[in-house]
Amino acid sequence: MIDQAKTILQETFGYPSFKPFQEEIIEGILNRQDTVVVLPTGGGKSLCYIIPAILFEGLTIVVSPLISLMEDQIGQLTQTGIPAVCLNSMLSPEAYGQNIRLLRENRVKLLYLAPETLMMPRTLELLEQLPIDLLAVDEAHCVSEWGHDFRPEYRKVQEFRTKIPHAVVMALTATATPQVRTDILTLFKIPVGNFFMGSFNRDNLFLDVRIKNNPQAQLINFIKKFPKESGIIYCTTRKSVENITDLLRANGFKASSYHAGLEDNQRRENQLAFIRDDIRIMVATIAFGMGIDKPDVRFIVQYDLPKNIETYYQQIGRAGRDGLRSDCLLLYAQSDTQTITRFISQKEENIQAVEHEKLADMLAFARARNCLRTPLLGYFGESFPGDCQLCKNCRPDQQDLTDITIPAQKFLACVKRTGEIFGTGHIIDVLRGSRAKKIFQFDHDQLSTYGIGKDLAAMEWKHISEQLLAQELMKATAPHGSLKLTPRAWAVFKGEKKVMAPRFHGEPIVTSNFTMASWDNALFDRLRQKRKQMADHMGLPPYAILTDKTLTELAQVFPSSIQSLEQIHGIGAYKKETFGQTFLDEIQAYCTENQIDRRDRFKTPQKKKSRSVSDKPPRFKYFGDLFNTGISARELADTNKIKLATVLTHLGVYIREGFVLRETREFIQLSGADPKTWEQVKLAFDEHGTLALKPVFLHLDQEISYDRLHLLRLNYLMESIKQ
Ligand code: ADP
Ligand code: MG
């Protein structure tokens, strides 16, 4: 049977392999062993009952605490071709009746119910007549008074269980504390041997903790790094939720809020907007999150100190369910503890001491100077050796870092291919597919690296170039700043070494994604838009169609046939048939529009369309091009009624931008420099570079005027290109 389970995993869900424990758990369930499953958020608990549900002949009942969670899951299952329904008070009478019919006709595999609905007489009556094979109690910590979401009705599920003695029972939760575990095992009388607990290490989350000094600025700066991603900001009080929401909106972010003071329907509306990507940022109190299975939450900010580590862990757990890197930032101040202490003092006396202790643990965690995962996981009874390389203490340098391996490889390859004799400006031109004369002069449009870096702006490439220099993967050599690779670059080429760098924050922000990653950002964006359009049309959250992880793979692999979609993570038979062609068409259109040859998407056609007439060239281009027709600099100054120095400046920019000026002796002649002076000036430029004239002026004992240096610099730049 477990082989069949594996086939379903691959063919229906499109996942290549099981996550830790899934296989053992599923095998146990198929062998009809009652089981408790404790796996962290994103650990893949749902599949542990969904796959058996598909394989069992009878019905699987899933007890779930919230309607929003059920609807979410049913939406995702339906889009995977698995028949699932729910019964709840929100359904119209017609929909309710229709679901009952489907159940009676045994055309449904999974039935989702809240415990309240389950225990209603008419539900019990219905269930008596149905063949039930599996009872899955999701979010099972709700049965425990020790849990964070105690729901008394949840305990009644055990009464129901006695009515279906032949069915297998499984209880699932992400809450790891010992009391909760014990409560679950005891209530459902599950043998201790059938207890699965996975590691609680979420190894795709970067954990950052900072002392609040200017929290609003700290917050804004942090979320600016995620220009398009979803995130949640947790605050302790309703008031601060509202203040922060206002602050974010005033700063142009699409944010909404969630707290217990809002009307039910308002809360629901805000939550739906978040799930459907209509708003990006949710500012919330602790009340928010339980109903959220959104897989692509990319960042969590805790704007105040949580009251204990369970809460901290639970909140950061909402980030990165899809396994992609996500960032968690905790901001705290000593004064936060006063608010919490006040809350605690209002509680019953016998639990006050425990709560104080928990708060002390939380504070100790925030202040830890070693690997944050050691105290965090230690709290849940798991020993962690430290050195996680993904928290602010293991990587103080990394708090802001992002993986730039792929762009780094592109850049270094381009330096190599062009013979290690060009400076940064020219390399960027090649990468971005510039049509500067110099490119064609050297046939650099024929290189495989030509145009492979269009996804990033020139400024971003500049930033990357600086990082590569700083990390000594290449060096700039005098006199002209030609870039050369160092031996260290090879490890990067071979994929043995990752390159991490601070994120780029300069203007203009061109890339869309949170990392400059290995996929094509422009295509990823386009697929995302398509997905949003389809999702809105179908009334579903976008991730129910395809997840971000799937889209990033599509934007990396550029599949061209329905068949090749089978290789993509998260695309099973149903999604392939239902959505495959739409996304393939989108990819095809993108390739056509951008003249991307799919056999080697990094090669762009050699001859470009000519520049459209409406593009007005910049001033430097205007002067440079005129100069190249044979008009002298002096004539250009006279006919345009501007200073000679201004013309010279434009011509200098022309050269720096990678264009080539015709050969001329005009500059030397105008400067009146004799050969000996010219040699001295050259040496001075070799030493001080060409960006500022003052150091050269001083170097030459102030004997050569700035006007003359202007002219000589141009000559110097011209000559350096020829070399
Ligand atoms: P949990 O309930 O444990 O928090 P979910 O069941 O919601 O986690 O699963 C989290 C994500 O991981 C979902 O998007 C799910 O489809 C995905 N997933 C589950 N099992 C696998 C697997 N074996 N391989 C890849 N992705 C998986
Ligand atoms: Mg779950």
Side-chain angles (χ1 to χ4, degrees):
M1 271 271 261
I2 193 68
D3 289 344
Q4 282 171 286
K6 200 151 195 174
T7 309
I8 291 177
L9 179 79
Q10 288 163 351
E11 290 183 0
T12 307
F13 291 93
Y15 299 141
S17 55
F18 284 115
K19 290 192 176 212
F21 293 106
Q22 280 182 330
E23 189 166 1
E24 296 90 315
I25 294 166
I26 291 172
E27 189 160 29
I29 296 296
L30 293 176
N31 289 328
R32 303 202 164 252
Q33 289 164 5
D34 297 343
T35 305
V36 173
V37 173
V38 184
L39 287 177
T41 307
K45 290 186 287 295
S46 322
L47 281 196
C48 295
Y49 54 80
I50 293 170
I51 290 183
I54 298 171
L55 286 170
F56 282 141
E57 253 177 47
L59 182 68
T60 290
I61 294 179
V62 183
V63 178
S64 174
L66 293 175
I67 293 175
S68 61
L69 270 184
M70 294 180 207
E71 287 174 345
D72 200 71
Q73 280 235 1
I74 290 170
Q76 295 189 53
L77 286 172
T78 311
Q79 294 319 313
T80 314
I82 300 163
V85 298
C86 60
L87 294 177
N88 64 49
S89 53
M90 303 288 289
L91 291 176
S92 67
E94 296 78 44
Y96 199 96
Q98 167 73 1
N99 286 351
I100 300 265
R101 245 189 324 278
L102 289 172
L103 284 163
R104 290 225 162 96
E105 291 165 14
N106 200 12
R107 285 163 60 190
V108 172
K109 288 270 112 185
L110 296 105
L111 166 63
Y112 283 76
L113 292 167
E116 292 81 357
T117 321
L118 172 66
M119 298 314 287
M120 274 163 39
R122 71 164 168 174
T123 316
L124 292 172
E125 207 173 298
L126 168 76
L127 294 181
E128 258 172 39
Q129 302 155 27
L130 300 177
I132 298 169
D133 274 323
L134 172 61
L135 172 65
V137 187
D138 207 356
E139 313 291 349
H141 53 273
C142 292
V143 304
S144 171
E145 284 180 86
W146 294 95
H148 35 81
D149 297 301
F150 177 50
R151 295 263 297 260
E153 316 77 31
Y154 240 80
R155 298 189 73 85
K156 298 210 181 111
V157 174
Q158 173 57 18
E159 285 173 31
F160 170 70
R161 184 210 182 175
T162 56
K163 296 182 203 293
I164 47 165
H166 302 298
V168 197
V169 174
M170 74 189 298
L172 309 101
T173 178
T175 303
T177 51
Q179 299 104 320
V180 175
R181 272 184 256 160
T182 317
D183 269 6
I184 297 173
L185 281 167
T186 324
L187 179 72
F188 293 111
K189 302 190 180 69
I190 292 174
V192 182
N194 297 355
F195 174 83
F196 288 90
M197 181 154 146
S199 165
F200 271 67
N201 187 14
R202 298 283 316 279
D203 60 7
N204 59 324
L205 304 185
F206 187 90
L207 308 182
D208 198 352
V209 178
R210 295 189 206 176
I211 296 175
K212 278 185 210 174
N213 38 51
N214 184 354
Q216 297 199 344
Q218 287 173 298
L219 173 70
I220 300 269
N221 281 336
F222 178 79
I223 57 183
K224 268 193 185 155
K225 294 178 217 157
F226 307 90
K228 294 200 170 166
E229 290 67 35
S230 301
I232 307 174
I233 296 159
Y234 283 106
C235 306
T236 311
T237 63
R238 288 175 202 182
K239 180 123 193 63
S240 60
V241 165
E242 275 158 13
N243 290 343
I244 296 292
T245 311
D246 290 345
L247 172 81
L248 294 184
R249 286 182 179 157
N251 278 278
F253 296 101
K254 275 192 173 177
S256 186
S257 42
Y258 191 102
H259 58 68
L262 294 172
E263 295 285 329
D264 270 0
N265 53 0
Q266 184 66 52
R267 272 213 307 259
R268 234 189 333 269
E269 207 174 284
N270 294 357
Q271 172 165 329
L272 206 61
F274 180 67
I275 289 177
R276 297 194 171 164
D277 289 345
D278 291 326
I279 59 146
R280 276 206 308 121
I281 303 176
M282 186 63 106
V283 189
T285 55
I286 193 169
F288 180 71
M290 169 87 153
I292 298 296
D293 262 358
K294 190 171 163 53
D296 53 4
V297 174
R298 281 279 89 76
F299 62 94
I300 301 277
V301 179
Q302 286 147 322
Y303 197 75
D304 305 296
L305 188 77
K307 64 181 193 298
N308 53 41
I309 292 186
E310 285 102 313
T311 309
Y312 171 79
Y313 183 81
Q314 202 197 0
Q315 291 177 347
I316 64 165
R318 280 156 195 151
R321 276 172 187 261
D322 54 10
L324 295 177
R325 172 173 166 145
S326 309
D327 284 63
C328 308
L329 172 66
L330 163 63
L331 293 172
Y332 80 102
Q334 176 65 37
S335 56
D336 292 345
T337 59
Q338 291 159 9
T339 323
I340 302 172
T341 307
R342 256 201 316 278
F343 276 128
I344 295 178
S345 64
Q346 289 159 13
K347 299 214 165 167
E348 288 166 39
E349 243 163 67
N350 58 345
I351 59 168
Q352 285 191 13
V354 180
E355 303 249 319
H356 279 301
E357 210 172 293
K358 288 186 169 187
L359 174 60
D361 286 338
M362 183 65 226
L363 201 59
F365 166 80
R367 291 187 171 146
R369 288 174 165 268
N370 296 323
C371 176
L372 287 178
R373 283 182 160 74
T374 305
L376 179 63
L377 295 169
Y379 186 84
F380 298 113
E382 197 175 323
S383 80
F384 186 81
D387 195 25
C388 71
Q389 292 300 312
L390 210 61
C391 77
K392 63 126 188 173
N393 290 336
C394 289
R395 295 306 297 265
D397 57 317
Q398 253 221 18
Q399 292 179 36
D400 237 353
L401 294 195
T402 181
D403 188 337
I404 60 157
T405 311
I406 301 288
Q409 284 170 339
K410 290 183 187 174
F411 196 100
L412 295 170
C414 194
V415 171
K416 185 83 199 148
R417 297 272 158 76
T418 50
E420 303 186 278
I421 52 169
F422 293 92
T424 303
H426 184 69
I427 301 296
I428 295 176
D429 274 351
V430 177
L431 286 167
R432 297 195 18 89
S434 151
R435 294 189 312 283
K437 276 205 188 110
K438 195 172 163 190
I439 296 276
F440 298 108
Q441 193 184 1
F442 289 98
D443 283 339
H444 284 170
D445 56 323
Q446 311 283 329
L447 294 174
S448 58
T449 50
Y450 182 67
I452 62 173
K454 286 184 185 159
D455 52 333
L456 301 184
M459 303 266 287
E460 287 168 279
W461 281 117
K462 186 106 207 325
H463 170 78
I464 286 169
S465 168
E466 278 160 22
Q467 293 303 322
L468 300 179
L469 287 169
Q471 301 187 21
E472 293 180 35
L473 292 162
M474 57 184 196
K475 57 180 195 283
T477 53
H480 310 304
S482 309
L483 299 173
K484 294 194 179 0
L485 304 190
T486 66
R488 297 165 60 114
W490 290 107
V492 176
F493 276 131
K494 285 193 241 151
E496 291 165 5
K497 190 176 179 307
K498 271 192 182 180
V499 187
M500 303 298 292
R503 291 169 201 274
F504 176 78
H505 296 309
E507 293 293 331
I509 294 173
V510 173
T511 48
S512 52
N513 204 25
F514 67 105
T515 54
M516 292 181 256
S518 50
W519 55 84
D520 184 317
N521 268 325
L523 175 59
F524 175 66
D525 253 6
R526 184 177 178 140
L527 298 178
R528 206 141 101 151
Q529 275 165 25
K530 184 79 210 169
R531 177 181 68 173
K532 174 74 179 131
Q533 213 180 31
M534 294 162 76
D536 285 348
H537 186 68
M538 300 169 75
L540 286 169
Y543 56 79
I545 294 183
L546 294 177
T547 63
D548 273 8
K549 185 156 178 167
T550 303
L551 296 190
T552 58
E553 272 199 18
L554 290 176
Q556 199 170 10
V557 179
F558 285 63
S560 55
S561 69
I562 281 280
Q563 211 174 14
S564 57
L565 288 179
E566 287 165 10
Q567 306 303 317
I568 302 288
H569 181 99
I571 301 191
Y574 186 87
K575 288 192 179 180
K576 187 180 76 179
E577 293 306 323
T578 320
F579 308 120
Q581 198 53 50
T582 312
F583 283 93
L584 287 177
D585 290 348
E586 209 62 28
I587 295 170
Q588 180 57 55
Y590 176 79
C591 289
T592 310
E593 280 165 34
N594 293 287
Q595 309 184 354
I596 293 170
D597 180 353
R598 212 88 72 82
R599 275 162 302 165
D600 177 356
R601 68 186 178 96
F602 289 140
K603 271 194 194 133
T604 41
Q606 284 142 11
K607 286 289 165 249
K608 297 279 158 179
K609 288 174 287 178
S610 60
R611 182 187 271 264
S612 81
V613 258
S614 61
D615 281 354
K616 203 169 149 209
R619 292 286 277 174
F620 73 82
K621 185 85 171 46
Y622 170 80
F623 284 113
D625 288 349
L626 277 179
F627 181 85
N628 279 343
T629 63
I631 304 173
S632 74
R634 169 111 289 146
E635 285 168 329
L636 282 175
D638 291 347
T639 51
N640 286 278
K641 298 196 175 58
I642 54 173
K643 283 195 216 141
L644 177 63
T646 311
V647 175
L648 298 179
T649 306
H650 284 307
L651 296 181
V653 176
Y654 191 79
I655 294 175
R656 285 213 188 80
E657 288 287 320
F659 298 99
V660 178
L661 283 186
R662 70 180 158 88
E663 274 191 52
T664 175
R665 302 227 9 105
E666 184 186 0
F667 306 131
I668 287 273
Q669 280 162 4
L670 281 174
S671 77
D674 55 36
K676 189 162 155 268
T677 314
W678 169 231
E679 283 308 315
Q680 285 173 344
V681 172
K682 266 209 287 203
L683 287 174
F685 277 123
D686 282 350
E687 186 168 341
H688 301 282
T690 53
L691 272 177
L693 286 179
K694 190 165 180 188
V696 176
F697 179 66
L698 296 176
H699 182 105
L700 297 165
D701 297 329
Q702 317 191 7
E703 276 174 11
I704 301 176
S705 72
Y706 277 107
D707 279 350
R708 294 173 69 199
L709 285 179
H710 250 294
L711 286 158
L712 294 171
R713 174 166 66 181
L714 258 185
N715 206 62
Y716 179 88
L717 286 170
M718 276 175 45
E719 291 200 352
S720 59
I721 293 179
K722 279 191 291 177
Q723 286 174 349

